[in-house]
Amino acid sequence: MESILHGPVLTSERDLTRRILLALALWHHRQRSRRHLAALEDRELDDVGLSRDQRRAECSKRFWQA
């Protein structure tokens, strides 16, 4: 009986832990990508099709912002 009662709790705790880890990984990826974007030169920006203003707008976002 006890395992039946605790089964859903453990599953939701695992799901919560997984969601937290995925969010942290996503935030880390955004931060790293924006750092690389900030380091691009004008010619490299042209290659990826971004303007300086677009780069500035993207790099000004916080890591949790999409």
Side-chain angles (χ1 to χ4, degrees), residues 2 4-5 7 12 16-17 20 26-27 29 34-36 51 58 66:
E2 188 174 324
I4 293 172
L5 293 176
S12 65
L16 179 60
T17 301
I20 290 170
L26 175 62
W27 292 348
H29 174 74
R34 289 173 180 153
R35 192 178 328 120
H36 288 283
S51 69
E58 184 64 30

Side-chain angles (χ1 to χ4, degrees), residues 32-53:
R32 188 178 60 221
S33 296
R34 289 173 180 153
R35 192 178 328 120
H36 288 283
L37 181 60
L40 293 180
E41 296 182 14
D42 289 340
R43 185 172 148 194
E44 295 167 317
L45 282 175
D46 287 339
D47 287 345
V48 296
L50 292 175
S51 69
R52 286 181 179 177
D53 289 336

